[in-house]
Amino acid sequence: VQLQASGGGLVQAGKSLRLSCAASGDIFNINDMGWYRQAAGYRRELVASISSAGWTTYADSVKGRFTISRDNAKMTMYLQMNSLKPEDTDVYYCKAEVKPANGKFYEDLWGQGTLVTVSS
């Protein structure tokens, strides 16, 4: 069971990027999912989260610019990032609460980071 994040890259300020996070393996169910970001030397912070029912939360710094969504059938989460700013430059990580098919409990699963660089 693993998460695979993708979609990072280098863009100019004001442009857009879409990140994806795909879960794979024998999974029974996925609860909450979220995107986090972390700059070197700083702690990881929540960018946006989405429940299995589609309820969303956003960090104040990205409200109105970022949109989180998920496709439960594809076990994939997305982060549409518009009007990007240089201060959005970070490594972005996805996380999901996953119950494996052969497990009794939900566990937090992290994807590898994907670097987003926004130039001014």
Side-chain angles (χ1 to χ4, degrees), residues 32-36 46 48-50 68 77 93-96 110:
D32 293 349
M33 303 181 79
W35 287 98
Y36 293 73
L46 177 67
S49 66
I50 184 167
I68 190 171
M77 172 179 63
Y93 297 88
C94 58
K95 190 183 86 167
W110 288 90

Side-chain angles (χ1 to χ4, degrees), residues 15-32:
K15 301 297 186 181
S16 299
L17 274 179
R18 189 174 85 150
L19 305 182
S20 298
C21 176
S24 61
D26 288 334
I27 294 172
F28 176 76
N29 193 42
I30 302 176
N31 272 349
D32 293 349

Side-chain angles (χ1 to χ4, degrees), residues 34-78:
W35 287 98
Y36 293 73
R37 63 188 182 187
Q38 183 174 25
Y42 291 82
R43 69 181 183 91
R44 200 168 290 185
E45 64 174 7
L46 177 67
V47 176
S49 66
I50 184 167
S51 72
S52 57
W55 295 102
T56 60
T57 62
Y58 295 93
D60 288 342
S61 58
V62 306
K63 282 180 181 176
R65 300 189 297 123
F66 291 10
T67 302
I68 190 171
S69 61
R70 62 190 284 174
D71 184 329
N72 290 329
K74 295 182 178 179
M75 296 193 299
T76 300
M77 172 179 63
Y78 306 95

Side-chain angles (χ1 to χ4, degrees), residues 64-112:
R65 300 189 297 123
F66 291 10
T67 302
I68 190 171
S69 61
R70 62 190 284 174
D71 184 329
N72 290 329
K74 295 182 178 179
M75 296 193 299
T76 300
M77 172 179 63
Y78 306 95
L79 185 68
Q80 178 66 42
M81 304 185 294
N82 298 330
S83 303
L84 282 162
K85 303 176 181 180
E87 51 262 44
D88 293 318
T89 296
D90 267 326
V91 178
Y92 286 70
Y93 297 88
C94 58
K95 190 183 86 167
E97 294 176 0
V98 176
K99 186 176 183 183
N102 61 355
K104 291 184 178 180
F105 306 104
Y106 284 89
E107 56 189 62
D108 285 343
L109 202 62
W110 288 90
Q112 90 290 0

